[in-house]
Amino acid sequence: MKAICFYFQIHQPFRLKRYRFFDIGNDHYYYDDFANDDIVTRIAQRSYIPAAESLLRMLEQHPKFRCALSISGVALEQCEQYVPEFIDLLKKLAATGRVEFLAETYAHSLSSLTDPEEFANQVKVHDNKIHELFGVKPQVLRNTELVYCDELAPQILSMGYKGVITEGAKHILGWKSPNYVYSAATAPKLKILLRNAKLSDDISRRFSNPDWEAYPLTADRYIDWIASTPPEEQIINLFMNLETFGEFQTRETGIFQFLEALPHFAQERGVEFWTPTEAVTKLKSVGELSIMHPISWTDEARDTSAWLGNKLQNEAFRKLYSVAERVRLCNDRRLKQDWYYLQAADHLFYMATKHLADGAAHSNFSPYETPFAAFTNYMNALSDFIVRVEEQYPLSIENEELNALLTTIRNQEREIETLNKEVASMRKNIEHFNEEHLLRENKVGAPVSTDAPEKESKPARKTCKTKAPAKKCATKKKSADKE
């Protein structure tokens, strides 16, 4: 049996406004709200919403259809703010039980390449956000831009994930096929799903290209390609941006009709649809796969040079994570929010000077005129952010010393909290004891024991009700003496 594993990525960064040198120290808000609102709303109307509606129809009409979505935390925040109707559609997809939501970094960051603690923290925060909105817990990880290497595997496994998805890069696979499940060389229990680059790009990049020899591509022809792969190749991983449908390939190309027709022809050819978790659960690994250096799904080189390929990018990357530990120590909500927004890999992507695989420049996807303008604008905002961090935790204090001081303070706070709880408990016990004591004293008609000591019976004589009988007894005694 052959199966298709469909995965769609959704991400939008918080784009920065024009932030000048003289704004440093004076303006702590870095974002272009107008641009963010305009871009997210436009893409949602043209792509996200109609694509989600297509997926809902496919799920309704084809009970065996399944797919997966991966949405960065910063994209979810913008969708909640600008297009909440799209969040409602995602909730409907989640309610079907046949759409899997994958784990990833909340900020769509490259923290996995430099700071394991930050990477783990962001993935956890993202998982919590997914569970809060959709009521599901991710089982498979998709790192930012499918970045993966051997060094990451043990940590990903220790975080509780069954599998990870990445690029089926030619220089890694060699003669091997991406249409199998592999296991990580450094953590054999972690399974790897590899993107079939050719079949994925046939949809995402070449679908509407009239110069392509397979143009126009139809759903039945596409499924025939998949069905004709060697029978032992059981899983075809098709990973792409959701913007493929309606944005990269416009509605006029027939991309939505193509997508909705796929399950019908797949069923005719005996091809199933599985989620990533189903794939790593049902299929055994055919062998270990070693990836010594980080790979991604971007550019012909399939490496990380799109974000860390020049001195500008590396300087910004180094400066950003130089304050990572201090930001994690703080409790300033606004500071932590800016920390996430500034980590988005897009800011580094805009600084790239190289060309993409199809010959287009990275600047074609950038709001800046040049990579140098992108670098200057980002570093100005980052400099102000670092000033704010330094105000709380001066850079003159070493990280180890600062961490020790904060640990001592937090231990003292916990000790004080424990003592306060003990004091509150003791006060409550004393109040309870006093209440019981007063209740015994004020009890009406309580029998008094003749064997009780004199001191114990005195309090009862002080009450107004015990005084009257005492006077009567005294009167009777006087009259008896007279007689």
Side-chain angles (χ1 to χ4, degrees), residues 92-358:
K92 290 180 180 179
L93 288 171
T96 65
R98 290 182 281 145
V99 176
E100 180 175 355
F101 287 81
L102 303 180
E104 67 166 281
T105 56
Y106 189 91
H108 196 76
S109 74
L110 298 176
S111 56
S112 60
L113 299 177
T114 187
D115 193 330
E117 185 177 351
E118 179 64 24
F119 172 62
N121 176 66
Q122 281 195 36
V123 173
K124 181 179 180 181
V125 172
H126 182 266
D127 277 3
N128 292 339
K129 183 72 172 180
I130 293 295
H131 186 267
E132 174 191 337
L133 287 176
F134 310 118
V136 295
K137 179 174 173 54
Q139 301 293 319
V140 173
L141 176 76
R142 161 235 178 267
N143 196 12
T144 302
E145 304 296 339
L146 301 191
V147 169
Y148 173 79
C149 64
D150 288 343
E151 188 177 347
L152 296 177
Q155 183 181 8
I156 294 172
L157 183 65
S158 68
M159 291 160 63
Y161 298 105
K162 297 178 179 179
V164 61
I165 68 176
T166 188
E167 176 70 12
K170 293 179 181 179
H171 70 281
I172 296 297
L173 287 172
W175 56 269
K176 298 177 182 177
S177 169
N179 303 332
Y180 293 99
V181 171
Y182 294 89
S183 59
T186 52
K189 291 185 178 180
L190 181 71
K191 292 184 177 179
I192 303 174
L193 292 177
L194 300 173
R195 173 178 177 261
N196 187 308
K198 180 190 178 303
L199 289 172
S200 297
D201 291 346
D202 284 343
I203 299 176
S204 61
R205 292 176 54 188
R206 292 183 281 270
F207 181 82
S208 60
N209 182 5
D211 297 328
W212 180 36
E213 65 274 8
Y215 178 86
L217 180 62
T218 59
D220 57 340
R221 186 179 183 187
Y222 188 76
I223 291 297
D224 283 343
W225 291 349
I226 292 175
S228 62
T229 56
E232 62 272 14
E233 296 183 1
Q234 294 180 298
I235 187 73
I236 310 296
N237 299 306
L238 304 176
F239 304 156
M240 61 198 72
N241 289 294
L242 192 62
E243 292 100 308
T244 295
F245 306 93
E247 184 68 17
F248 302 156
Q249 308 294 337
T250 62
R251 178 183 290 275
E252 292 73 23
T253 63
I255 189 67
F256 290 108
Q257 291 86 343
F258 170 84
L259 175 65
E260 293 187 37
L262 289 175
H264 171 73
F265 292 105
Q267 186 176 359
E268 286 187 350
R269 296 301 303 271
V271 178
E272 296 185 352
F273 288 88
W274 291 351
T275 63
T277 295
E278 287 177 324
V280 298
T281 302
K282 292 180 178 181
L283 298 178
K284 293 182 179 180
S285 167
V286 296
E288 294 183 358
L289 187 66
S290 179
I291 303 175
M292 298 181 64
H293 303 287
I295 62 172
S296 74
W297 69 346
T298 301
D299 289 349
E300 187 66 29
R302 298 294 196 259
D303 57 12
T304 59
S305 60
W307 307 275
L308 300 173
N310 61 39
K311 291 182 179 180
L312 301 178
Q313 294 169 312
N314 280 283
E315 173 61 17
F317 188 68
R318 183 196 63 79
K319 196 74 172 176
L320 173 66
Y321 285 99
S322 67
V323 296
E325 189 168 351
R326 294 168 189 270
V327 177
R328 283 195 294 273
L329 293 172
C330 82
N331 294 317
D332 189 324
R333 182 178 176 275
R334 177 67 183 278
L335 204 64
K336 288 200 169 186
Q337 184 182 60
D338 290 337
W339 170 240
Y340 282 150
Y341 295 173
L342 290 173
Q343 283 188 76
D346 308 70
H347 302 307
L348 299 171
F349 186 84
Y350 300 148
M351 303 175 198
T353 52
K354 64 182 295 187
H355 284 72
L356 299 172
D358 58 2

Side-chain angles (χ1 to χ4, degrees), residues 31 78 322 368 375-376 441:
Y31 315 106
Q78 292 183 77
S322 67
Y368 303 96
F375 173 77
T376 302
E441 288 180 344

